[in-house]
Amino acid sequence: VFFGPRGREEFPNNTPFGTAPPDPVVAGDIAVAVTELDQMSTSVPVDQPWTASGADDWDRQTLDAWLRANTSGNAEFMAVTSAATEAIFGCEARELSLLYTLFYIAASGNEQNAGTFERNFNTAGGAQESRFVGGAQTIALQVAAQLGRRVVLNAPARRIAQSSSGVTVVTDGFSATAQRVIVAIPPTLAGRIDYDPPMPPLRDQLIQHMPQGTLMKFEAIYDTPFWRAQGLSGQAVSEIGPIKVTFDTSPADGSFGILMGFIGGHEARVWENRSADERRAAALQNLANYFGNEALNPREIVEFNWSSEVWNRGCPVAVLGPGTLIDFGTALRTPVGRIHWAGTETSTFWNGYMDGAVRSGERAAQEVLTAL
Amino acid sequence: VFFGPRGREEFPNNTPFGTAPPDPVVAGDIAVAVTELDQMSTSVPVDQPWTASGADDWDRQTLDAWLRANTSGNAEFMAVTSAATEAIFGCEARELSLLYTLFYIAASGNEQNAGTFERNFNTAGGAQESRFVGGAQTIALQVAAQLGRRVVLNAPARRIAQSSSGVTVVTDGFSATAQRVIVAIPPTLAGRIDYDPPMPPLRDQLIQHMPQGTLMKFEAIYDTPFWRAQGLSGQAVSEIGPIKVTFDTSPADGSFGILMGFIGGHEARVWENRSADERRAAALQNLANYFGNEALNPREIVEFNWSSEVWNRGCPVAVLGPGTLIDFGTALRTPVGRIHWAGTETSTFWNGYMDGAVRSGERAAQEVLTAL
């Protein structure tokens, strides 16, 4: 479903347009923007985006400025770009460096396939296609099961001290000493650890330039996935928030129905401060606009705001503004003494995704194995 | 002295152009840019810049994009803007939100006088006019003298816990409990304190969006202020770094000479990672270009990099990129329970300056007195 000031349209999600609405007012701009961004991204090396031949030019523009200069820039199209960046980055196009955006597109691929924006945002054949049976936490739980009692919970690292003989991680309750340590948390949290000796200036300032996006999930649970009977996939793209993008996150057996909506970027910053009742009413009205009035009466609502989580401080990924990659990018993965850096923001493929997080862990583990 | 690829020019600093070079290649663009920025800044309320009628438009542009769109954008002019933003903000124009820049200009005034860019960057009649006999630390030392033994040094606040009856600040060695607390440190450091309960999402994310600028001071000390004999003020503006702006910081009696140069923004990020010998040679060559070869042989050199200071992490002020003020600005001064916020970044006048820091302390103290 595509929803905007001109009303509601249904469209299939298996055309070459993918998840993007083929509406005539916005489709031309979307096609131009996606095609050109994809094309530019092919010249961005995922391991050193700051060395791209266009890097100087691209890292001084915001995505917003580039979009306005290279499309009609009409209000409806810009509203659709908000729907996209709010869901994908938890921010607005004005906050994104064009170079970082191009890197993010290039990273939406792998060793065999060039990244494309379509691969990033599509359900059919794209990053949004699959969900985990048992939930995304399965990755962490299965890693933890292999590690067994070596996993210590409820022990936030407060301080990391290095010496010539080892590195000590200090928590509230105990300390652990090792030859090497891997820090695999959001950059803004890595910056809040007390390091001895202190981080080099470039590393500390990189972290200061990597705020987390702002993202809330709003899930409305129904007795049945009633939209399916109307032939709808449960996906919507809307110019009007708070919820501008939705997905069907019902259980595989369809025994009940869940509509999940993202409230991101500017919408999240506004709506996280309003009352739960107001937010709930506005969000359910969004769902009713897309899928009919049956959406107004869920049997349960689950909301989650990553910005209020002490160990996230935002989601889904760090947002890099103009000038960050080109001046600070070299500090992203460079170990500092005995400290190595992992986490999805350090990944060269599927940066910002769970796939990238796992990749980064494997890369950092290999660094440590090589060093020992 | 103005220095660039076309060579070296001398110019007086008491013309209407102030500190800006009246060179024909750059003067037209400087005049247009300063005049228009000053004009736009008059509509920015210093206490709520996000409510300006142009705020939406201005907070999605970088200063760099605005400059290129509203001047010739020629390479020499853009190099001069780097000299300005590197010294004033410790960053490049690409990192600065236009709205934040306009606010910063508007804040370069006081209750009686509108701020102007000239007031910010000029020596004659501007913010760069005066220095403290005894050094800038005199402000802190005199405040400390009045407070006496109530000042506790070497006790970084690690944790601030609030309850219904009071607020407790925990340091490595001891805790202190009070009715109210004022946090008056750079925002990026305020974000590294562990708060209980945690900061509200908007406040925490504001802090994530306020990286400190990157600034080094390089001082070359000579037996005499030899440039004065040539009729030079010791001020230079250069298109070629690392040092692009200099001042005469000799003692008042002229008993010896000091040339102080700023290495800021991109230059600082590059040069802080090179060897001290390389940096020293490049910086002295800058000074020789401006003031003659006598500058090559100082009797002493003093360098200071604020980014490597654990309790600064950058200087002179936090740098706000596009989208920060408009989405997060309301959290800048809003107390969180018993915690009040001071520091120059919270000031409505002379934000980024020592004047603003003192003003912010007085405002926060008044907030606390009213609350008690």
Side-chain angles (χ1 to χ4, degrees):
Chain A
V1 170
F2 176 53
F3 187 83
R6 288 171 293 117
R8 177 184 182 281
E9 293 168 55
E10 296 181 7
F11 67 97
N13 69 353
N14 58 359
T15 70
F17 242 61
T19 307
D23 177 275
V25 171
V26 297
D29 283 335
I30 293 176
V32 166
V34 170
T35 305
E36 288 197 31
L37 290 170
D38 278 354
Q39 178 58 37
M40 290 191 292
S41 76
T42 60
S43 70
V44 176
V46 290
D47 55 343
Q48 298 184 74
W50 49 90
T51 64
S53 61
D56 269 324
D57 183 35
W58 296 336
D59 208 27
R60 57 177 152 79
Q61 296 182 50
T62 62
L63 174 62
D64 183 279
W66 183 87
L67 288 169
R68 288 175 196 272
N70 290 276
T71 69
S72 77
N74 78 60
E76 285 209 38
F77 169 67
M78 294 309 294
V80 171
T81 67
S82 267
T85 61
E86 287 173 4
I88 296 174
F89 294 102
C91 76
E92 303 299 325
R94 62 185 174 231
E95 298 169 64
L96 289 162
S97 153
L98 177 59
L99 177 62
Y100 173 64
T101 310
L102 296 175
F103 156 73
Y104 209 75
I105 293 171
S108 298
N110 55 36
E111 291 78 357
Q112 286 77 44
N113 298 288
T116 63
F117 197 43
E118 298 89 318
R119 285 173 64 90
N120 189 299
F121 71 37
N122 277 1
T123 38
Q128 316 304 329
E129 184 171 47
S130 302
R131 291 188 298 129
F132 289 81
V133 176
Q137 67 271 28
T138 312
I139 301 175
L141 294 175
Q142 294 201 357
V143 171
Q146 285 186 43
L147 292 168
R149 296 187 59 182
R150 285 169 290 191
V151 176
V152 181
L153 300 176
N154 297 313
R158 303 290 183 185
R159 179 178 168 84
I160 301 180
Q162 302 191 58
S163 72
S164 57
S165 63
V167 53
T168 301
V169 178
V170 181
T171 77
D172 294 339
F174 67 95
S175 299
T177 297
Q179 284 305 306
R180 299 268 162 172
V181 63
I182 296 173
V183 175
I185 54 180
T188 193
L189 293 180
R192 300 177 196 202
I193 295 173
D194 180 35
Y195 297 93
D196 177 21
M199 284 292 107
L202 205 70
R203 168 75 199 176
D204 190 82
Q205 289 218 322
L206 167 71
I207 296 312
Q208 296 183 42
H209 285 80
M210 294 183 76
Q212 293 292 102
T214 320
L215 200 58
M216 307 172 73
K217 262 187 177 173
F218 183 96
E219 293 198 302
I221 303 170
Y222 303 93
D223 291 335
T224 61
F226 61 86
W227 50 92
R228 295 183 185 176
Q230 305 164 42
L232 299 175
S233 66
Q235 291 176 44
V237 175
S238 169
E239 299 174 32
I240 296 162
I243 292 176
K244 293 181 183 163
V245 169
T246 68
F247 293 102
D248 177 340
T249 57
S250 309
D253 64 7
S255 54
F256 55 97
I258 311 179
L259 287 173
M260 187 280 285
F262 283 121
I263 303 177
H266 177 75
E267 297 291 343
R269 292 151 194 168
V270 169
W271 285 96
E272 69 188 0
N273 293 305
R274 298 204 182 152
S275 75
D277 282 351
E278 270 187 289
R279 191 167 53 240
R280 177 183 171 139
L284 290 179
Q285 186 56 55
N286 282 147
L287 298 182
N289 292 343
Y290 315 148
F291 305 111
N293 283 341
E294 210 169 337
L296 290 173
N297 298 299
R299 74 178 194 210
E300 194 180 340
I301 282 173
V302 179
E303 278 189 292
F304 195 85
N305 184 0
W306 277 283
S307 304
S308 60
E309 287 295 299
V310 172
W311 305 117
N312 287 62
R313 308 281 182 158
C315 204
V317 67
V319 170
L320 276 66
T324 301
L325 278 175
I326 209 153
D327 269 5
F328 304 97
T330 55
L332 196 52
R333 276 181 299 275
T334 306
V336 177
R338 299 172 177 276
I339 306 176
H340 299 255
W341 311 105
T344 193
E345 284 84 359
T346 68
S347 187
T348 51
F349 288 116
W350 292 110
N351 189 294
Y353 287 79
M354 289 178 275
D355 190 305
V358 172
R359 283 172 178 271
S360 80
E362 290 170 345
R363 188 258 314 143
Q366 191 56 54
E367 277 175 20
V368 170
L369 288 172
T370 304
L372 291 179
Chain B
V1 171
F2 176 52
F3 187 83
R6 287 171 295 117
R8 177 184 181 283
E9 293 168 54
E10 296 181 7
F11 67 97
N13 69 353
N14 58 359
T15 71
F17 243 61
T19 308
D23 177 274
V25 171
V26 297
D29 283 334
I30 293 176
V32 166
V34 170
T35 306
E36 288 197 32
L37 290 170
D38 278 354
Q39 179 57 37
M40 290 191 291
S41 77
T42 60
S43 71
V44 176
V46 290
D47 56 343
Q48 298 184 71
W50 49 91
T51 64
S53 62
D56 268 325
D57 183 35
W58 295 336
D59 209 27
R60 56 177 153 80
Q61 297 182 50
T62 62
L63 173 63
D64 182 279
W66 184 87
L67 288 169
R68 288 175 195 272
N70 290 276
T71 68
S72 77
N74 79 60
E76 285 209 39
F77 169 67
M78 294 309 295
V80 172
T81 67
S82 266
T85 61
E86 287 173 4
I88 296 173
F89 295 102
C91 75
E92 303 299 327
R94 62 184 173 232
E95 298 168 65
L96 289 162
S97 153
L98 177 59
L99 178 63
Y100 173 64
T101 310
L102 296 175
F103 156 73
Y104 209 76
I105 293 171
S108 298
N110 55 36
E111 292 78 358
Q112 286 78 44
N113 299 289
T116 62
F117 196 44
E118 298 88 318
R119 285 172 64 90
N120 189 299
F121 71 37
N122 276 1
T123 38
Q128 316 304 329
E129 184 171 48
S130 302
R131 291 187 298 129
F132 289 82
V133 177
Q137 68 272 26
T138 313
I139 302 176
L141 294 175
Q142 294 201 356
V143 171
Q146 285 186 45
L147 292 169
R149 296 187 57 182
R150 286 169 290 192
V151 177
V152 180
L153 300 177
N154 297 313
R158 303 290 183 186
R159 180 179 168 84
I160 302 181
Q162 302 191 58
S163 72
S164 56
S165 61
V167 53
T168 301
V169 178
V170 181
T171 77
D172 294 339
F174 67 94
S175 299
T177 297
Q179 284 304 306
R180 299 269 162 172
V181 64
I182 297 173
V183 175
I185 53 179
T188 193
L189 293 180
R192 301 177 195 203
I193 294 172
D194 180 35
Y195 296 94
D196 176 21
M199 284 293 108
L202 205 71
R203 169 77 199 174
D204 190 82
Q205 289 217 322
L206 167 71
I207 297 312
Q208 295 183 42
H209 285 80
M210 294 183 76
Q212 293 291 102
T214 320
L215 199 59
M216 307 172 73
K217 262 186 177 173
F218 182 97
E219 294 198 303
I221 303 170
Y222 304 93
D223 291 334
T224 61
F226 62 86
W227 50 94
R228 295 184 186 176
Q230 306 164 42
L232 298 175
S233 66
Q235 291 175 44
V237 175
S238 169
E239 299 174 31
I240 297 162
I243 293 177
K244 293 180 184 164
V245 170
T246 68
F247 293 103
D248 178 340
T249 57
S250 308
D253 65 6
S255 56
F256 55 96
I258 311 179
L259 287 173
M260 187 281 285
F262 283 122
I263 304 177
H266 177 75
E267 297 290 343
R269 293 152 193 167
V270 169
W271 284 96
E272 69 188 359
N273 293 305
R274 299 205 182 152
S275 75
D277 281 351
E278 269 187 290
R279 191 167 54 239
R280 176 182 171 140
L284 289 179
Q285 186 56 54
N286 283 147
L287 299 181
N289 293 343
Y290 315 148
F291 306 110
N293 282 342
E294 209 169 339
L296 290 174
N297 298 299
R299 75 179 193 208
E300 194 179 339
I301 281 174
V302 179
E303 277 189 293
F304 195 84
N305 183 359
W306 277 283
S307 304
S308 61
E309 287 296 298
V310 171
W311 305 117
N312 286 63
R313 308 282 182 157
C315 204
V317 67
V319 170
L320 275 66
T324 300
L325 278 175
I326 209 153
D327 269 4
F328 304 96
T330 56
L332 196 52
R333 276 181 299 276
T334 306
V336 177
R338 298 172 177 278
I339 305 176
H340 299 255
W341 311 105
T344 194
E345 284 85 358
T346 69
S347 187
T348 51
F349 289 114
W350 292 109
N351 190 293
Y353 287 80
M354 287 178 277
D355 190 305
V358 172
R359 283 172 178 272
S360 80
E362 290 170 345
R363 188 258 314 144
Q366 191 56 55
E367 276 177 19
V368 170
L369 288 172
T370 304
L372 290 178

